[in-house]
Amino acid sequence: MPKQTIADVDVASKTVLMRVDFNVPLDDNKNVTDDRRVRMALPTIRHVLDNGGAVVLMSHLGRPKGAPDPAFSLKPAADKLRELLGGVDVQLAADTAGPDAEAKVGALRPGQVLVLENVRFNAGEKKGGDDAYNAKLASFGDVYCNNAFGTCHRTQASMYAVPKAMKAAGKPAVVGFLVEKEIQYLTDTIQNPQRPFVAILGGAKVSDKINVIDNLLGVCDRVLIGGAMAYTFSLAQGGKVGGSLVEKDKVDLAKELIEKGGDKLVLPTDTHAGDDFSGDCNKMIVKAGEVPDGYEGLDIGPETAAYYAQLVKAAKTVVWNGPMGVFEMPPFDAGTKAVAQAIADSDATSIIGGGDSAAAIEQLGFADQVTHVSTGGGASLEMLEGKSFASVELLDDK
Ligand code: AMP
């Protein structure tokens, strides 16, 4: 059932309590090094301000231990938001649900924004069950809005207990435009894809992606495998993997997936191997399953890269999650680059899962040439597994 969005409620003269994901990367001087998560929240925030409402923002940043810790203050994110909103009054509260937050919420006027301090400064946030904390936050808004896709797979207080308390008080609880868009691409497009529908899955561990592979084999025409997890599949086929990163305890599972996938599951035919985990090691291109002792597979080989690019170019829908090799270490970025280039060149609806593949597509400068780059790592993986989120389910239906 589609969820109501912020556009479905009247926000004039109301205060919208909005959960965002401002968990931004910071450098040593506390400068935001990648402001994508703040930028992605802007349309929803602007919508409320333009329609006569005020906004109270809640977010986590990093992993403080349930108590205030200046190292994890949301100040850099609030400063970035003020800069991006240009001319809007953006304040930062000294606490999350304490006296300063309460006073500042009370003084807030339409057109203004208040950022509460890091929700993880409170022991109740992660437990999701401190009634006084939940009730205090719930009292800060007339409307609840979930615009924190990166956190949607969690049921921490600001994601779950707080909207539940607001709903119980008769207040609307809706999704923001970012969450609406993420769900549209990561579930609707995948459930009703234009075909051929090709998924490319890579990364270090097959154990992280088993459920994704399993779910996508049910809906895709082809599932292309790359990254270190290809070597566990190689072992399952009786291949030699040398010193490649493998999960021996997942070999039986890989066998089951090979059997279940049949022609749909596409494995690399060659491997770029090195005699050391470094960019300037001795290298060789070998057939898949023929990595000699003393060498490890560090990327898909050129034949595989060309074949995967060809399949991607012929696709109408593409989903990509996880690098094809050790993309941080050239020349073992070649396979990942080839796949990224093919996705950028194709006319397909292209959806890039969060985490490393999102970083790779940004780094390579292709982000504008794909349909959707997810802001959520764990959350986008869970969506690709076919799961739905309790934090979204509880919100108001259309
Ligand atoms: P994941 O977090 O599972 O998406 O995995 C991403 C990580 O997998 C990246 O840091 C890559 O360097 C790593 N990776 C990909 N292919 C390989 C490989 N062949 N050997 C070792 N690490 C790899």
Side-chain angles (χ1 to χ4, degrees):
M1 177 78 87
K3 295 292 162 184
Q4 287 199 30
T5 78
I6 195 70
D8 294 317
V9 289
D10 178 12
V11 294
S13 304
K14 304 256 171 65
T15 299
V16 176
L17 180 65
M18 193 183 298
R19 177 57 157 100
V20 287
D21 180 359
F22 280 0
N23 186 24
V24 287
L26 301 174
D27 65 15
D28 291 344
N29 297 319
K30 301 276 175 241
N31 294 309
V32 176
T33 54
D34 180 352
D35 62 4
R36 219 169 79 82
R37 285 183 160 165
V38 180
R39 279 189 283 116
M40 297 291 274
L42 293 179
T44 314
I45 297 171
R46 280 215 180 94
H47 172 88
V48 176
L49 301 178
D50 291 348
N51 285 280
V55 179
V56 176
L57 295 172
M58 307 181 275
S59 179
H60 70 284
L61 190 152
R63 296 176 186 272
K65 306 256 176 293
D69 179 345
F72 297 102
S73 171
L74 274 168
K75 183 171 186 305
D79 290 344
K80 179 53 75 179
L81 177 66
R82 188 177 304 110
E83 176 192 321
L84 293 173
L85 279 175
V88 173
D89 182 357
V90 177
Q91 295 180 50
L92 174 69
D95 46 31
T96 319
D100 191 56
E102 190 165 17
K104 288 196 164 81
V105 169
L108 204 63
R109 294 291 162 259
Q112 296 180 328
V113 177
L114 173 66
V115 181
L116 302 178
E117 210 16 305
N118 195 335
V119 289
R120 289 193 184 159
F121 286 179
N122 305 275
E125 172 65 16
K126 274 202 159 177
K127 283 190 304 183
D130 175 336
D131 289 345
Y133 170 74
N134 299 340
K136 182 57 75 186
L137 282 176
S139 75
F140 285 173
D142 307 302
V143 175
Y144 177 87
C145 178
N146 174 348
N147 207 28
F149 181 71
T151 324
C152 276
H153 56 318
R154 313 241 182 250
T155 49
Q156 296 165 1
S158 58
M159 297 297 301
Y160 191 76
V162 172
K164 216 169 156 195
M166 289 175 75
K167 275 188 67 139
K171 298 174 181 175
V174 300
V175 294
F177 299 132
L178 173 62
V179 170
E180 180 191 31
K181 190 169 158 211
E182 293 270 13
I183 291 176
Q184 181 197 331
Y185 284 118
L186 289 163
T187 59
D188 302 353
T189 304
I190 284 166
Q191 280 159 12
N192 303 297
Q194 282 204 295
R195 295 186 183 279
F197 178 15
V198 170
I200 308 130
L201 299 174
K205 289 179 169 179
V206 70
S207 52
D208 290 342
K209 311 259 163 95
I210 288 163
N211 295 331
V212 177
I213 298 172
D214 199 37
N215 185 44
L216 292 180
L217 279 175
V219 286
C220 290
D221 300 296
R222 291 294 178 91
V223 176
L224 319 181
I225 301 290
M229 67 176 173
Y231 312 123
T232 302
F233 283 99
S234 209
L235 275 186
Q237 293 174 315
K240 278 195 66 183
V241 296
S244 304
L245 187 63
V246 287
E247 289 172 281
K248 292 217 167 88
D249 58 332
K250 294 292 178 287
V251 169
D252 284 344
L253 240 147
K255 276 185 192 155
E256 278 171 36
L257 289 170
I258 290 171
E259 209 161 286
K260 177 176 175 180
D263 289 347
K264 275 192 187 180
L265 189 74
V266 183
L267 296 168
T269 53
D270 61 350
T271 300
H272 196 182
D275 68 351
D276 189 17
F277 194 84
S278 98
D280 52 17
C281 62
N282 293 308
K283 306 167 186 82
M284 59 165 88
I285 307 287
V286 293
K287 281 192 177 162
E290 295 184 11
V291 181
D293 289 340
Y295 276 77
E296 59 186 300
L298 294 169
D299 193 12
I300 53 173
E303 180 184 272
T304 308
Y307 184 49
Y308 284 9
Q310 186 189 324
L311 292 174
V312 164
K313 282 183 187 157
K316 290 261 168 43
T317 308
V318 176
V319 167
W320 178 30
N321 192 295
M324 297 290 97
V326 188
F327 77 106
E328 305 93 330
M329 202 165 72
F332 300 108
D333 57 349
T336 302
K337 269 188 178 164
V339 164
Q341 178 82 56
I343 296 174
D345 290 346
S346 91
D347 296 326
T349 299
S350 47
I351 300 160
I352 315 300
D356 277 327
S357 16
I361 209 104
E362 294 261 350
Q363 222 174 54
L364 296 167
F366 294 140
D368 293 342
Q369 293 170 63
V370 299
T371 314
H372 181 65
V373 182
S374 178
T375 51
S380 77
L381 268 185
E382 289 200 16
M383 290 240 108
L384 295 177
E385 289 174 5
K387 286 189 186 155
S388 60
F389 299 136
S391 67
V392 175
E393 287 304 309
L394 71 77
L395 303 175
D396 299 339
D397 292 326
K398 280 256 191 210

